Amino acid sequence: MVQFNPEAAKSRVTAAWVADLWSRYPITAVLDSAGQPTGRFRTGIVRVSFPHLFTPQPPPADNPNKAPTWALSLLFPFGADLSLLIADAQRAAGEKFGAAAANMALHTPFRDQREKAHQYEGYVPGAIFFTASSQRRPPVVDVNGAPIVDESKAYAGCWAMVTVHAYPFDTPKKKGVSFGLDSVMIVADDNAFGAGGGDPNTDFAGVSIEQQVNPAALFAPAPASAVVQPVASPLAAPPAPPAPPAPPVAPLLQRPTDPTHIHAA
């Protein structure tokens, strides 16, 4: 049974809302139009973390030639029933590694959020998370199925339903199972993870300081000796040639003496 703790998860949604949606939309196998399994599974509502849904994440420093990947981490509420996903991961491991998979130290995608709870917001010890990735950009839609093109709508901390599929991998460094990322539906807004800063209303509660001093008046003007004089450029232009002599001034015209003569003022 889902037991969501909003305070521990840094969330503003209610535990009842999370439990209700998980009861109505648990993890489900996705079927095609003929009612046949597609190999994909739709999760219940999860909190999104480290989303790279519109721009692929950069390759790791130890593998700069790795193909670009789109990814996100899915934070499941405590008590969520993941049995279908666990069974699918076991199936993928068995198909790849056979009966020996049960005795192999295989990588598992399912991790305790305790690993990151001390470092990142929204991670609750005891709850499960995993990362799903894809080498193609996944479709991202809203609850009406309309495509989301604004990257800011799919942020770390929002709620989503995600379709995934398990697949095995075998590399020189490790062997195991991971989840592929197929599509994402953004369900609801919530507090963004790592939004930065605190709440000034609580951080400075109880502080009351009357400002009696003009801060600018605390700084006396700099003495004349401290003023830096401009330095002539080493590439100063040569002195300008002397100006030509002014032309002679024409004699003033005499006003007419006839009082009846109209002239310009």
Side-chain angles (χ1 to χ4, degrees):
M1 179 179 177
V2 170
Q3 301 174 23
F4 182 67
N5 185 334
E7 182 178 359
K10 308 296 183 183
S11 171
R12 67 173 185 263
V13 305
T14 66
W17 179 81
V18 175
D20 175 64
L21 284 182
W22 265 91
S23 67
R24 292 162 55 194
Y25 303 107
I27 295 173
T28 306
V30 177
L31 307 179
D32 62 18
S33 57
Q36 299 301 310
T38 62
R40 301 190 300 275
F41 290 83
R42 187 192 68 214
T43 70
I45 59 169
V46 297
R47 204 89 179 268
V48 171
S49 181
F50 295 105
H52 295 274
L53 301 176
F54 296 86
T55 304
Q57 58 186 349
D62 60 349
N63 188 8
N65 296 323
K66 182 181 179 181
T69 56
W70 289 258
L72 82 165
S73 292
L74 292 72
L75 276 57
F76 292 85
F78 183 86
D81 181 4
L82 307 184
S83 56
L84 286 180
L85 295 179
I86 293 172
D88 193 46
Q90 293 172 338
R91 172 202 58 77
E95 290 181 356
K96 177 66 176 179
F97 304 107
N103 300 317
M104 296 175 65
L106 296 177
H107 165 82
T108 175
F110 304 101
R111 299 160 63 185
D112 191 325
Q113 294 179 25
R114 186 184 309 275
E115 294 180 23
K116 298 188 176 184
H118 69 287
Q119 188 177 6
Y120 299 110
E121 293 178 337
Y123 287 74
V124 179
I128 300 299
F129 81 100
F130 65 73
T131 297
S133 62
S134 174
Q135 292 187 357
R136 65 171 180 82
R137 178 176 169 178
V140 182
V141 300
D142 62 20
V143 291
N144 297 314
I148 293 178
V149 296
D150 183 354
E151 185 172 355
S152 67
K153 300 297 184 182
Y155 56 90
C158 71
W159 290 86
M161 287 182 174
V162 185
T163 57
V164 297
H165 65 277
Y167 69 91
F169 64 89
D170 186 351
T171 67
K173 291 187 176 182
K174 60 182 178 180
K175 302 172 173 49
V177 176
S178 285
F179 278 100
L181 174 60
D182 294 304
S183 60
V184 179
M185 173 183 280
I186 303 300
V187 174
D189 289 316
D190 203 341
N191 296 329
F193 296 154
D199 180 359
N201 294 322
T202 56
D203 292 350
F204 306 110
V207 177
S208 177
I209 298 176
E210 296 181 3
Q211 187 172 344
Q212 301 288 349
V213 178
N214 177 9
L218 299 177
F219 299 91
S225 59
V227 178
V228 178
Q229 299 297 327
V231 178
S233 169
L235 301 178
V249 179
L252 295 176
L253 297 178
Q254 299 294 325
R255 283 179 176 267
T257 57
D258 184 356
T260 63
H261 181 79
I262 300 176
H263 59 84

